Coordinates of all heavy atoms in Angstrom, one line a residue:
V121 N -0.2 16.6 1.8 CA -1.7 17.0 1.4 C -2.3 15.9 0.7 O -3.4 15.5 0.9 CB -1.6 18.4 0.6 CG1 -3.0 18.7 0.1 CG2 -1.0 19.5 1.4
I124 N -3.1 12.9 2.9 CA -4.3 13.1 3.7 C -5.5 12.9 2.8 O -6.5 12.2 3.3 CB -4.3 14.5 4.4 CG1 -3.2 14.6 5.4 CG2 -5.7 14.7 5.0 CD1 -3.3 13.6 6.6
I135 N -11.0 13.3 8.7 CA -10.1 14.5 8.7 C -10.6 15.5 9.7 O -11.7 16.0 9.7 CB -10.1 15.2 7.3 CG1 -9.5 14.2 6.3 CG2 -9.2 16.4 7.4 CD1 -9.5 14.7 4.9
S136 N -9.8 15.7 10.8 CA -10.2 16.6 11.8 C -9.9 18.1 11.5 O -9.3 18.4 10.5 CB -9.4 16.3 13.1 OG -8.0 16.6 12.9
G137 N -10.3 18.9 12.3 CA -10.2 20.4 12.1 C -8.7 20.7 12.2 O -8.2 21.6 11.4
N138 N -7.9 20.1 13.0 CA -6.4 20.3 13.1 C -5.8 20.0 11.8 O -4.8 20.6 11.3 CB -5.8 19.5 14.3 CG -6.3 20.0 15.6 OD1 -6.6 21.2 15.8 ND2 -6.1 19.3 16.7
I139 N -6.1 18.9 11.2 CA -5.6 18.4 9.9 C -5.9 19.4 8.8 O -5.1 19.8 8.0 CB -6.0 17.0 9.6 CG1 -5.3 16.0 10.6 CG2 -5.6 16.7 8.2 CD1 -5.7 14.6 10.4
L140 N -7.2 19.8 8.8 CA -7.6 20.8 7.8 C -6.9 22.1 8.0 O -6.4 22.7 7.0 CB -9.1 21.1 7.9 CG -10.0 20.0 7.4 CD1 -11.5 20.3 7.6 CD2 -9.8 19.8 5.8
S141 N -6.7 22.5 9.2 CA -5.9 23.8 9.4 C -4.4 23.6 8.9 O -3.9 24.5 8.3 CB -5.9 24.1 11.0 OG -7.1 24.3 11.4
A142 N -3.8 22.5 9.2 CA -2.5 22.2 8.7 C -2.5 22.1 7.2 O -1.5 22.7 6.6 CB -2.0 20.9 9.3
L143 N -3.4 21.5 6.6 CA -3.4 21.5 5.1 C -3.6 22.9 4.5 O -2.9 23.3 3.5 CB -4.6 20.6 4.6 CG -4.4 19.1 4.9 CD1 -5.6 18.3 4.5 CD2 -3.2 18.5 4.3
F144 N -4.4 23.7 5.1 CA -4.6 25.1 4.7 C -3.3 25.9 4.8 O -2.9 26.6 3.9 CB -5.7 25.8 5.6 CG -5.8 27.2 5.3 CD1 -6.5 27.6 4.1 CD2 -5.4 28.1 6.1 CE1 -6.6 28.9 3.8 CE2 -5.5 29.5 5.8 CZ -6.1 29.9 4.6
L145 N -2.6 25.7 5.9 CA -1.2 26.4 6.1 C -0.3 25.9 5.1 O 0.5 26.8 4.5 CB -0.8 26.2 7.5 CG -1.5 26.9 8.6 CD1 -1.1 26.5 10.0 CD2 -1.5 28.4 8.4
I146 N -0.2 24.6 4.8 CA 0.7 24.1 3.8 C 0.4 24.7 2.5 O 1.3 25.2 1.8 CB 0.7 22.6 3.8 CG1 1.3 21.9 5.0 CG2 1.4 22.0 2.5 CD1 1.0 20.5 5.2
V147 N -0.8 24.7 2.0 CA -1.2 25.2 0.7 C -1.0 26.7 0.6 O -0.4 27.2 -0.4 CB -2.6 24.8 0.4 CG1 -3.1 25.5 -1.0 CG2 -2.7 23.3 0.2
T148 N -1.3 27.4 1.7 CA -1.0 28.8 1.7 C 0.5 29.1 1.6 O 0.9 30.1 0.9 CB -1.6 29.4 3.0 OG1 -3.0 29.1 3.0 CG2 -1.4 31.0 3.0
G149 N 1.3 28.4 2.4 CA 2.7 28.6 2.2 C 3.3 28.4 0.9 O 4.1 29.1 0.4

Side-chain angles (χ1 to χ4, degrees):
V121 175
I124 295 295
I135 299 177
S136 68
N138 289 339
I139 292 175
L140 285 176
S141 300
L143 294 178
F144 174 76
L145 290 173
I146 291 169
V147 171
T148 304

